[in-house]
């Protein structure tokens, strides 16, 4: 006999007129939200396969009269997309390494080690979440300049190791792991780094997978901070290059702009759709205990 999970409303509940009206109203609201989110992406794609004259025509048309997929080839050779994608992946890899090593070790220390005043430290990191990020852009810039890290990937990697939100999320997850496993490891002579890599990290793959998606999204979309500290095409990430060489360029045809934007819009969406179960699961598990 086939069994199905019961939803919020059963078939009996839907027979009531009041519940049925609310249900259809909620469904309509969800459909409107889905359409409002998909519409810009569809417009970007359609404008990317139109002629430039059709993109600039008024009144605007939704579907292209002719499909010109050669626009994507022209867009591909206009800008060095492979170079900028490679730089973005370098930034993502470095930021993820800093998240695992620095933020992961800090969260593990606050959760499973006898750190003095750990509650005070935890509340201090919690308070930093209320500080607007724009207030420490200039201090970070000055510090990196004095360290001689301008126009290097380290200027992006080092700040990734000071993310208070990731630290508190990881600590909350580590708090849910049984302390007896770590005590058994210490009795066997295991060091704290070994306990982290052989016990805590393997058990925390869901939360680290969730953080990987967040880190990837930040590396893919962030353009302002890299624009401040990087000054070379060999270092620019994708978002900064698109802002400088596509969005701010007036002589570039609009259909080529839309073609480039569509090529960089869909990959993160596909990554999110593929890994969305890790986001939900990781945030759920990370919020079990605090």
């Amino acid at each position: 006999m086939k069994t199905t999970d019961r939803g919020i409303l059963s078939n009996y509940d839907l027979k009531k007129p009041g519940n049925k009206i609310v249900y259809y109203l909620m469904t309509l609201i969800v459909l409107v939200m889905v359409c409002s989110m998909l519409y810009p992406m569809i417009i970007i794609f359609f404008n990317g396969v139109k002629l430039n004259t059709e993109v600039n025509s008024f009144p605007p048309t939704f579907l292209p009269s002719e499909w010109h997929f050669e626009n994507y080839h022209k867009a591909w050779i206009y800008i060095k997309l492979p170079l900028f994608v490679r730089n973005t992946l370098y930034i993502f890899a470095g930021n993820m390494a800093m998240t695992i090593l620095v933020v992961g070790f800090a969260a593990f220390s606050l959760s499973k080690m006898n750190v003095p005043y750990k509650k005070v430290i935890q509340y201090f990191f919690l308070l930093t979440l209320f500080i607007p990020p724009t207030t420490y852009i200039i201090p970070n810039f000055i510090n990196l300049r004095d360290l001689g890290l301008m126009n290097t990937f380290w200027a992006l990697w080092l700040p990734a190791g000071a993310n208070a939100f990731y630290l508190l999320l990881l600590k909350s997850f580590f708090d849910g792991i049984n302390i007896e496993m770590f005590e058994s490891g210490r009795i066997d002579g295991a060091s704290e780094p070994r306990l982290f890599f052989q016990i805590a990290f393997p058990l925390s793959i869901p939360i680290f997978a969730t953080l990987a998606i967040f880190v990837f999204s930040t590396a893919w979309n962030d353009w302002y901070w890299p624009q401040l500290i990087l000054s070379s095409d060999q270092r620019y990430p994708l978002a900064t290059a698109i802002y400088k060489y596509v969005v701010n360029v007036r002589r570039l045809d609009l259909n080529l702009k839309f073609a480039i934007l569509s090529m960089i819009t869909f990959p993160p969406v596909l990554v999110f759709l593929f890994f969305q179960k890790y986001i939900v699961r990781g945030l759920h598990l990370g919020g079990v205990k605090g």
Side-chain angles (χ1 to χ4, degrees):
M1 181 178 179
K2 183 178 179 181
T3 59
T4 57
D5 295 334
R6 185 185 186 277
I8 298 177
L9 294 176
S10 64
N11 293 330
Y12 175 78
D13 296 328
L14 286 176
K15 293 179 180 179
K16 300 178 180 179
N19 292 341
K20 185 178 293 187
I21 294 174
V22 173
Y23 175 77
Y24 287 127
L25 180 61
M26 292 174 60
T27 303
L28 178 62
I29 293 175
V30 171
L31 289 176
V32 171
M33 293 176 62
V34 170
C35 293
S36 64
M37 294 176 184
L38 291 179
Y39 180 77
M41 300 178 62
I42 296 174
I43 286 296
I44 291 174
F45 172 74
F46 284 159
N47 286 341
V49 295
K50 294 179 181 178
L51 289 174
N52 190 51
T53 54
E54 187 176 1
V55 176
N56 290 281
S57 63
F58 186 84
T61 59
F62 182 70
L63 292 173
S65 59
E66 297 179 358
W67 298 77
H68 294 273
F69 289 99
E70 66 273 10
N71 293 342
Y72 284 89
H73 175 70
K74 296 178 182 178
W76 181 265
I77 63 178
Y78 170 78
I79 191 173
K80 302 176 182 178
L81 285 179
L83 171 64
F84 300 130
V85 170
R86 185 199 66 182
N87 293 340
T88 302
L89 295 179
Y90 281 167
I91 295 172
F92 162 70
N95 289 353
M96 195 62 211
M98 296 297 291
T99 300
I100 295 174
L101 297 178
V102 179
V103 181
F105 273 128
F108 178 76
S109 301
L110 292 176
S111 178
K112 300 303 180 184
M113 296 177 61
N114 295 323
V115 177
Y117 306 106
K118 63 168 59 179
K119 281 292 184 182
V120 176
I121 298 174
Q122 178 181 349
Y123 288 129
F124 169 78
F125 282 113
L126 182 62
L127 288 174
T128 61
L129 297 178
F130 296 94
I131 301 176
T134 52
T135 59
Y136 47 79
I137 288 180
I138 295 178
N140 282 348
F141 181 88
I142 295 175
N143 289 335
L144 294 172
R145 184 198 61 187
D146 294 341
L147 291 172
L149 298 177
M150 300 299 291
N151 199 32
T152 65
F153 289 135
W154 284 103
L156 296 167
W157 293 339
L158 288 180
N163 194 306
F165 174 72
Y166 293 171
L167 185 144
L168 296 175
L169 193 64
L170 284 172
K171 180 191 176 299
S172 179
F173 187 91
F174 289 151
D175 288 343
I177 301 178
N178 196 334
I179 188 64
E180 295 179 355
M181 291 188 293
F182 299 98
E183 293 177 349
S184 300
R186 293 188 180 100
I187 293 174
D188 293 336
S191 61
E192 298 301 332
R194 185 176 179 183
L195 292 176
F196 174 79
F197 284 111
Q198 293 190 355
I199 298 179
F201 183 76
L203 294 176
S204 306
I205 293 299
I207 192 67
F208 277 109
T210 302
L211 294 184
I213 299 172
F214 291 160
V215 173
F216 174 80
S217 176
T218 301
W220 189 273
N221 297 321
D222 188 19
W223 63 271
Y224 183 71
W225 178 245
Q227 180 185 238
L228 292 178
I229 59 178
L230 301 177
S231 57
S232 171
D233 285 353
Q234 302 301 319
R235 295 288 186 271
Y236 281 149
L238 186 61
T240 302
I242 293 299
Y243 177 77
K244 292 178 67 69
Y245 302 131
V246 177
V247 176
N248 280 350
V249 176
R250 296 184 179 181
R251 295 185 178 180
L252 181 62
D253 292 341
L254 280 178
N255 59 341
L256 297 184
K257 285 187 177 182
F258 281 112
I260 296 173
L261 293 176
S262 64
M263 285 191 291
I264 68 169
T265 299
F266 289 101
V269 174
L270 296 177
V271 170
F272 173 81
L273 292 176
F274 188 77
F275 290 103
Q276 62 176 333
K277 59 180 180 181
Y278 293 106
I279 296 180
V280 177
R281 182 184 177 191
L283 291 178
H284 170 72
L285 293 176
V288 172
K289 293 185 178 182

